[in-house]
Amino acid sequence: MGGRSSPAGWRRRAPPPPPLLLLLVYECAIGNFGMPQYGGTMHGVVVYPKANTKACKPFADFGLSFNPKAGGLPVFLLVDRGDCYFTTKGWNAQTAGAAAVLVADDRAEPLITMDTPESSGKEHLENITVPSALVSKRFGDDLKTALENGDMVNVLLDWRESLPHPDERVEYEFWTNSNDECGAKCDMQMSFVRDFRGVAQVLEQRGYTQFAPHYITWYCPEAFVLSAQCRSQCINHGRYCAPDPEQDFTTGYDGKDVVVQNLIQICLFKVANESRKPWLWWDYVHDFAIRCPMKEKKYTTDCAHGVIKSLGMDIDKITQCVGDPDADEDNPVLKAEQDAQIGHGARGDVTILPTFVVNNRQYRGKLDKRAVLRAICSGFEETTEPDICLTQDIQTNQCLENNGGCWLDKNTNFTACKDTFRGRVCECPVVNGVKFVGDGYTHCEASGVGRCQINNGGCWKETRNGKSVSACSNEQAKGCKCPQGFKGDGVHGCEDVDECKERLFCQCKDCSCENTWGSYECGCGGSNMLYMREHDTCISKVATSSVGWGFMWVIFFGLGFAGVGAYAVYKYRLRSYMDSEIRAIMAQYMPLENQETSSHQRHVDHADI
Ligand SMILES: *[C@@H]1O[C@H](CO)[C@@H](O)[C@H](O)[C@H]1NC(C)=O
Ligand SMILES: *[C@@H]1O[C@H](CO)[C@@H](O)[C@H](O)[C@H]1NC(C)=O
Ligand SMILES: *[C@@H]1O[C@H](CO)[C@@H](O)[C@H](O)[C@H]1NC(C)=O
């Protein structure tokens, strides 16, 4: 174990007594196993077990269980460092029902990364899914004191800023090794390459990421360059070394075989990248592990060349890059690798193999397709993440429960809940091109063009006797409004206005008013009278009636004055207006005949005066 920590933000809240609310932010170190929720957060309540505080034994042996109560927050189990592997603690906490495990350091020191064991004690490694973090001794002590005092300790584990996410491209490195005989770690690495290859290639081909593989090498101290150890483990006269795969110099492959294969892989990437196909590296590494395993004694340069050939790559270029391993000189490619290994910026030295570096920060957590993809996704600036980040694979499914607390229209199932790897977001939806606007939590409504086509814009609508009335109008950008003849808020309902009772229209002498749904009907007394709806008045069907046309005369009186200087124009306008207007009115009540046309021609003349 060792290496520098990747920080995960950390908040603690301890409420009682009421005026005292502590809101503290701590850094902690993400463990190198389990599934950290890069880009997301997790809420929980801290519990320190009454017994088995180091979590080295199954909690069931002590009758303890940490499953959350119904409706309760998940339990984050606080355990002490020491006596057994970190992974054992993680597994025991997980099987007891904890949602995360916080290991309190047992000594005052800078945070370290809790790594996976090299040999024994790794049985559960594959199956640990709860995230884990190391907290400092001092913070661990504070937590225990607060818990002893009966304080409730609420914690928000926050991975949102664990990785930088400055722009729409993620740069990442995979520090790996061609050695396939190192036990669990090598097996894990191989199955990871197999699972992750496809995703990595898609991301690279579409330009979402810029990837580079890296390999750790050691060097042999000057005084030992000629020793048997260095001669079997190093190339280029002790400059570049790797440990013997089975730690036995007398049998099997030597460290220098590993260095040579690593070098071929770096060179292959270099050549592939130069021909703008960096993703070929993933194919090569995958195929090499299958075709040239140590177990079958095929871990050789010849076998490597066979794989390179199958991929259609230029062997000469790669051989040239590899150079002469026996030469007493620097190899520029391996030299660059050694330089890259030294930490720069926020990254820290790379000391754990395999290691992912995303946007120049070391990834911590299980080497698992979903977990690593999630970390890479959290490295994109918000909203620029590629589709692959929003697929089923890494969604959180938070929308399934209580609709994620977001707005939901029960009638249509339109929802504002959107599942993303960062966690759910409540964002008003776009349905069939119609945008909904609102806060996303309690309220969303269709807006803009076409909004009435979607659930009638959330407005009231009713049909009676074949007549449909709607409170939604596409001319209005949002909101509902009862149409003329109705009153109400337009959302819950619109009520017919009784124009007769409310004395709004049809109040002339001798008129008979009858309310209808959304309108009214008005009858004028006497068979020669015609009701003009627009003017709420009765006119005589007889052309010379002083009542009807006297009224018209009043209306156009103003026009008469304005038109003195341009009599012809005025007359023309008036005529065409009268023509269409009267025709329309008349048409509602009687068939228009030629004779009628000439008769209202007369009316016009009459009004002309
Ligand atoms: C891990 O999980 C797999 C699949 O669920 C199971 O077959 C295996 O036995 C588990 N291993 C351990 C050590 O629990
Ligand atoms: C791969 O190629 C790109 C441009 O083609 C370059 O910017 C990048 O630095 C190269 N990567 C490495 C690790 O050489
Ligand atoms: C909405 O979803 C619920 C639950 O899935 C379902 O029972 C209901 O029929 C759906 N309603 C519509 C209009 O699709």
Side-chain angles (χ1 to χ4, degrees), residues 234-382:
C234 309
I235 63 171
N236 293 60
H237 273 244
R239 285 181 179 82
Y240 314 107
C241 318
D244 190 285
E246 57 291 283
Q247 267 125 59
D248 182 347
F249 302 133
T250 59
T251 69
Y253 290 100
D254 293 329
K256 68 177 183 198
D257 300 316
V258 176
V259 184
V260 168
Q261 290 308 327
N262 288 352
L263 179 54
I264 292 176
Q265 299 194 353
I266 308 170
C267 286
L268 180 129
F269 174 77
K270 227 175 144 253
V271 171
N273 194 43
E274 276 162 14
S275 59
R276 311 245 164 210
K277 288 182 182 167
W279 50 86
L280 286 176
W281 180 88
W282 290 94
D283 288 329
Y284 175 78
V285 169
H286 175 256
D287 296 355
F288 178 77
I290 290 172
R291 293 174 59 181
C292 312
M294 288 183 180
K295 260 202 292 293
E296 296 173 19
K297 304 239 175 306
K298 289 184 185 159
Y299 190 78
T300 63
T301 301
D302 275 352
C303 187
H305 283 180
V307 179
I308 295 170
K309 250 191 224 136
S310 325
L311 291 175
M313 294 187 62
D314 187 342
I315 289 193
D316 290 345
K317 268 194 186 163
I318 293 166
T319 310
Q320 200 183 351
C321 165
V322 169
D324 177 9
D326 295 324
D328 184 4
E329 59 183 21
D330 279 341
N331 179 308
V333 176
L334 286 175
K335 182 127 201 334
E337 287 299 291
Q338 281 182 340
D339 293 342
Q341 200 175 322
I342 298 162
H344 47 267
R347 194 197 71 187
D349 297 353
V350 175
T351 54
I352 299 175
L353 269 187
T355 287
F356 248 87
V357 176
V358 179
N359 284 346
N360 204 33
R361 274 304 160 74
Q362 295 195 31
Y363 162 88
R364 290 292 179 250
K366 191 176 172 187
L367 203 60
D368 164 273
K369 176 184 160 187
R370 284 180 55 186
V372 171
L373 180 57
R374 185 177 182 130
I376 289 177
C377 287
S378 81
F380 292 100
E381 188 186 1
E382 269 102 333

Side-chain angles (χ1 to χ4, degrees), residues 57-312:
K57 299 199 178 91
F59 282 98
D61 295 358
F62 301 84
L64 294 174
S65 148
F66 305 103
N67 289 307
K69 296 188 190 77
L73 284 174
V75 171
F76 293 171
L77 198 64
L78 177 68
V79 304
D80 291 319
R81 183 178 173 187
D83 288 2
C84 59
Y85 291 115
F86 289 124
T87 47
T88 308
K89 297 173 195 287
W91 177 247
N92 286 335
Q94 177 176 319
T95 47
V101 55
L102 310 173
V103 180
D105 206 347
D106 58 357
R107 64 205 83 164
E109 62 175 357
L111 291 172
I112 58 155
T113 294
M114 300 186 290
D115 200 8
T116 51
E118 287 294 336
S119 43
S120 60
K122 67 201 171 208
E123 308 84 27
H124 307 299
L125 194 52
E126 267 301 293
N127 293 15
I128 300 178
T129 53
V130 295
S132 64
L134 183 86
V135 305
S136 69
K137 178 170 186 323
R138 181 147 168 227
F139 180 47
D141 291 344
D142 286 352
L143 280 176
K144 285 177 219 167
T145 311
L147 291 167
E148 270 165 32
N149 293 342
D151 291 352
M152 160 132 166
V153 183
N154 260 324
V155 163
L156 176 71
L157 287 173
D158 186 346
W159 291 266
R160 285 174 303 187
E161 299 303 326
S162 298
L163 293 173
H165 42 96
D167 54 28
E168 71 285 2
R169 194 183 71 183
V170 169
E171 287 83 36
Y172 72 98
E173 299 167 2
F174 182 32
W175 288 78
T176 179
N177 195 342
S178 64
N179 180 356
D180 66 1
E181 282 291 299
C182 65
K185 275 208 163 179
C186 286
D187 297 346
M188 215 167 71
Q189 182 172 295
M190 255 330 292
S191 59
F192 170 73
V193 168
R194 192 185 57 227
D195 292 347
F196 194 69
R197 179 169 61 126
V199 170
Q201 292 180 327
V202 169
L203 287 171
E204 203 70 16
Q205 284 162 3
R206 304 208 183 141
Y208 290 120
T209 55
Q210 191 169 71
F211 159 75
H214 283 292
Y215 297 80
I216 292 180
T217 65
W218 290 263
Y219 67 89
C220 183
E222 214 41 75
F224 300 92
V225 166
L226 296 177
S227 70
Q229 275 102 324
C230 281
R231 282 154 74 115
S232 72
Q233 298 194 69
C234 309
I235 63 171
N236 293 60
H237 273 244
R239 285 181 179 82
Y240 314 107
C241 318
D244 190 285
E246 57 291 283
Q247 267 125 59
D248 182 347
F249 302 133
T250 59
T251 69
Y253 290 100
D254 293 329
K256 68 177 183 198
D257 300 316
V258 176
V259 184
V260 168
Q261 290 308 327
N262 288 352
L263 179 54
I264 292 176
Q265 299 194 353
I266 308 170
C267 286
L268 180 129
F269 174 77
K270 227 175 144 253
V271 171
N273 194 43
E274 276 162 14
S275 59
R276 311 245 164 210
K277 288 182 182 167
W279 50 86
L280 286 176
W281 180 88
W282 290 94
D283 288 329
Y284 175 78
V285 169
H286 175 256
D287 296 355
F288 178 77
I290 290 172
R291 293 174 59 181
C292 312
M294 288 183 180
K295 260 202 292 293
E296 296 173 19
K297 304 239 175 306
K298 289 184 185 159
Y299 190 78
T300 63
T301 301
D302 275 352
C303 187
H305 283 180
V307 179
I308 295 170
K309 250 191 224 136
S310 325
L311 291 175

Side-chain angles (χ1 to χ4, degrees), residues 409-413:
D409 183 349
K410 292 235 165 60
N411 295 322
T412 56
N413 283 352

